[in-house]
């Protein structure tokens, strides 16, 4: 038990995090940060990381928290422990998890009394459709409303007072629409057309020994009815023009999404945990959600053939993400050199709201390695190179700002 295709939060999902967007927009709340807490293997480590998460929340003097997780079963031990440790310290919380029929809690405690079940399947069971049971904007709205109701009952929701806002960080995101992608002599972007060097895969195929072959394809919106292997991730294509993750300027290509898939050589194993997601693309993806492409997006499809046995190892999965990021890095160089004017410019601010109720988001993410892995703080938005894997840090909780989340500070290897 742990994680299936229908519940997984992709890198793109964290980039578009519905809870982060909902919390930062509520004028009654001082959204003071996000704790990223990796799922641990041993029970003692689960308790330890839950205690450290609650200690951080206590030091931040938060009034309440939202605790969200995309896994279930064994993962729920981490989920329940975090809620308990927050409760012991007097911090009320609202939990968010897939439950349905299949993911019912394996344990509980007195503080687990407000849970939003984001199961969307009428059967109440996992499916092999990617994003079928994903946390969405409506779930986030419910969570924030319930947390505010809790705070109000406890006298912690500050109303009828003047809330002063102070901006402490600014992220500028410039959006460049892509109307077409094609292969050509060199990688560049001009007038809405992304051209990718036709021999780009040949440069990187020997860089990671667990990978036997890498195939890069362009899938147009009217070509989605084609077979793909099991999904490894979805991610946007973006780069830093200036500053670090969470500040400065980020350039984002819109109308295109990168998709990673893979299969093992010889065995034919589709990398997965609870059900693989191979199949016809328009049947095995739930489009138009925070962590999935839009139906009208062009898909940059990077497909891996793992050497036999490597599609189920930590080194194999990491190698695929590393190689994909090298391909995307060449595209990012083209984004940095783009001369087109952006279609739109968005500004994101980290804000301190004096006198408002202080709240926190806890993201409990995969931290066991292989199909259960998450990395933070990559060199580029939603990238992998330069990132630190939570499992290598023993899943010690990491604090990030809302802007760092929305600038691609979390990379999912599931």
């Amino acid at each position: 038990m742990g994680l299936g295709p229908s519940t997984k939060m992709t890198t793109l999902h964290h980039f578009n995090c519905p809870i982060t967007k909902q919390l930062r927009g509520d004028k009654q709340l001082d959204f003071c940060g996000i704790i990223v807490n990796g799922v641990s293997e041993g029970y003692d480590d689960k308790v330890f990381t839950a205690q450290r998460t609650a200690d951080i929340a206590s030091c931040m003097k938060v009034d309440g928290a939202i605790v969200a997780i995309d896994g279930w079963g064994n993962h729920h031990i981490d989920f329940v422990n975090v809620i308990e440790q927050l409760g012991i310290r007097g911090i009320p919380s609202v939990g968010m998890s897939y439950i349905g029929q299949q993911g019912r809690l394996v344990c509980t405690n007195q503080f687990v009394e407000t849970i939003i079940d984001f199961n969307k399947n009428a059967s109440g069971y996992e499916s092999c459709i990617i994003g079928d049971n994903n946390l969405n904007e409506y779930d986030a709205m419910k969570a924030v409303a319930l947390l505010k109701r809790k705070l109000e009952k406890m006298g912690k929701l500050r109303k009828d007072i003047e809330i002063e806002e102070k901006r402490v960080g600014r992220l500028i995101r410039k959006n460049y629409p892509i109307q077409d992608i094609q292969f050509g002599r060199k990688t560049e972007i001009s007038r809405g057309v992304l051209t990718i060097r036709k021999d780009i895969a040949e440069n990187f195929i020997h860089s990671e020994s667990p990978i036997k072959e890498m195939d890069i394809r362009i899938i147009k919106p009217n070509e989605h009815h084609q077979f793909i292997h099991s999904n490894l991730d979805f991610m946007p294509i973006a780069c830093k023009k200036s500053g670090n993750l969470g500040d400065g300027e980020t350039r984002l290509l819109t109308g295109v999404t990168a998709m990673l898939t893979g299969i093992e050589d010889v065995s034919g194993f589709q990398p997965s945990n609870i059900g693989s997601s191979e199949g016809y693309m328009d049947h095995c993806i739930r489009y138009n959600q925070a962590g999935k492409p839009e139906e009208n997006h062009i898909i940059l499809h990077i497909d891996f053939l793992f050497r036999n046995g490597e599609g189920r190892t930590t080194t194999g999965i990491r190698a695929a993400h590393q190689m994909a990021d090298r391909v995307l890095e060449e595209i990012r160089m083209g984004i940095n050199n783009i001369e087109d004017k952006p279609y739109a410019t968005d500004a994101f601010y980290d804000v301190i709201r004096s006198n408002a109720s202080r709240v926190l988001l806890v993201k409990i993410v995969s931290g066991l390695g292989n199909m259960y892995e998450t990395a933070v703080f990559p060199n580029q938005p939603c990238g992998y190179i330069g990132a630190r894997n939570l499992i290598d840090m023993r899943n010690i909780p990491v604090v990030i700002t809302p802007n760092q989340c929305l600038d691609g500070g979390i990379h999912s290897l599931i």
Side-chain angles (χ1 to χ4, degrees), residues 113-157:
E113 28 74 282
T114 309
I115 304 292
I116 292 176
D117 176 7
F118 50 76
N119 165 63
K120 306 294 189 298
N121 199 308
S123 71
Y125 285 82
E126 268 277 14
S127 74
C128 290
I129 300 173
I130 310 161
D132 197 25
N133 289 310
N134 252 177
L135 186 159
N136 61 24
E137 289 77 7
Y138 183 60
D139 298 318
M141 289 175 60
K142 288 193 291 185
V144 173
L146 284 170
L147 181 61
K148 288 173 68 174
R149 182 60 177 157
K150 269 194 167 186
L151 293 173
E152 185 176 24
K153 287 183 176 180
M154 299 176 68
K156 291 185 175 183
L157 186 65

Side-chain angles (χ1 to χ4, degrees), residues 336-407:
N336 263 332
N337 295 326
I338 196 169
E339 296 181 357
D340 301 353
K341 291 184 178 180
Y343 171 75
T345 299
D346 300 315
F348 301 88
Y349 295 93
D350 283 327
V351 176
I352 296 175
R353 294 190 176 104
S354 301
N355 301 322
S357 302
R358 292 174 62 80
V359 297
L360 178 76
L361 169 60
V362 180
K363 283 178 173 280
I364 302 179
V365 298
S366 302
L368 299 181
N370 198 3
M371 254 64 72
Y372 281 114
E373 191 155 19
T374 305
V376 292
F377 297 118
N379 292 342
Q380 292 283 4
C382 297
Y384 180 59
I385 296 172
R388 298 294 186 268
N389 294 79
L390 294 183
I391 189 173
D392 295 340
M393 298 188 291
R394 296 288 300 273
N395 289 311
I396 290 295
V398 176
V399 181
I400 68 173
T401 67
N403 270 1
Q404 286 172 333
C405 178
L406 298 178
D407 202 23

